[in-house]
Amino acid sequence: MSVLTDHLPELVDGLLATCLLTLLSCAGALVIGVVVAAARVSPVRPLRAAAMGYVELLQNVPLLVWLLLFVFALPEVGVIFPLFTTVVIVLALYEAAYMAEAIRSGVNSVGKGQAEAARSLGLTTTQSLRYVVLPQALRAVVQPISNIFIALTMNTSLAAAVGVVELTHAANRVNLVEAQPIPVFVGAGLAYMGLTLIIGLSAGFVERKVAIVR
């Protein structure tokens, strides 16, 4: 355990970077996911097709490929962001594809009578989605969304492959110095487990608070 305490500051810095990466990416994925899900159920056919194309494209190309593309290929055409920002953007865009499908399943769970009642009150399709359908859909898919957040937390470890100094990258650097992979990576694994437990417990609390009584 001394190897962990000896390098605690850099491991904590890596953990904090992972937490920030997770929070920013989750927020971006949720916002983009809501927009894409709304497009997926839109009555406008080109909008539905574009949203479906987005989901299929992002889900069927590995995340690491997207990271490498954004980090190394985009600068070649003059599109340059700070490395940390680039990884946040990629994670948000990638997980938004899964988020959109989860939210769409929530939209499908809302009774058709809800949308019909909204239209009878004079609400447009956009207003119906915003004020009636999406609030109920989001309440119905808290657990699936939390599962996506947990997957995103695990996926932040791939940022180490492109040079972001997060928890996995910090653990790897400590191991290169100390050559003690078992305590170093077990410690990092326990830290990831702690983050996912926090997300899971928080999701359970939120789910109970916003549960729809039928």
Side-chain angles (χ1 to χ4, degrees), residues 4-206:
L4 296 179
T5 56
D6 291 344
H7 295 273
L8 190 60
E10 56 190 295
L11 291 172
V12 170
D13 287 343
L15 178 60
L16 292 176
T18 292
C19 291
L20 183 58
L21 199 58
T22 299
L23 289 173
L24 294 176
S25 301
C26 284
L30 184 58
V31 172
I32 299 170
V34 168
V35 173
V36 175
R40 287 277 276 153
V41 298
S42 168
V44 182
R45 182 175 296 178
L47 202 57
R48 290 201 310 273
M52 184 176 68
Y54 172 88
V55 170
E56 293 296 324
L57 178 63
L58 269 293
Q59 286 187 348
N60 288 289
V61 176
L63 175 58
L64 184 58
V65 173
W66 288 116
L67 283 169
L68 294 173
L69 177 65
F70 272 66
V71 172
F72 297 111
L74 289 186
E76 295 294 324
V77 295
V79 181
I80 302 174
F81 296 104
L83 182 58
F84 190 89
T85 303
T86 300
V87 173
V88 169
I89 291 171
V90 174
L91 285 171
L93 290 173
Y94 182 80
E95 298 297 341
Y98 296 90
M99 193 75 68
E101 290 301 279
I103 295 171
R104 186 168 71 95
S105 70
V107 170
N108 291 335
S109 73
V110 177
K112 293 183 179 179
Q114 298 283 333
E116 292 171 358
R119 284 195 296 270
S120 69
L121 292 173
L123 298 181
T124 64
T125 300
T126 301
Q127 290 173 328
S128 175
L129 276 173
R130 179 180 177 184
Y131 296 113
V132 179
V133 178
L134 281 176
Q136 295 183 69
L138 289 171
R139 292 169 68 182
V141 294
V142 172
Q143 200 58 51
I145 287 176
S146 74
N147 292 336
I148 294 170
F149 284 170
I150 288 172
L152 191 155
T153 304
M154 298 295 97
N155 285 337
T156 59
S157 61
L158 290 176
V162 293
V164 174
V165 184
E166 42 67 72
L167 181 57
T168 298
H169 193 287
N172 190 50
R173 291 204 305 192
V174 170
N175 181 57
L176 289 175
V177 172
E178 301 290 348
Q180 296 189 46
I182 293 178
V184 171
F185 289 110
V186 167
L190 290 175
Y192 280 112
M193 183 185 298
L195 291 177
T196 58
L197 283 174
I198 291 171
I199 295 172
L201 292 173
S202 300
F205 175 78
V206 172

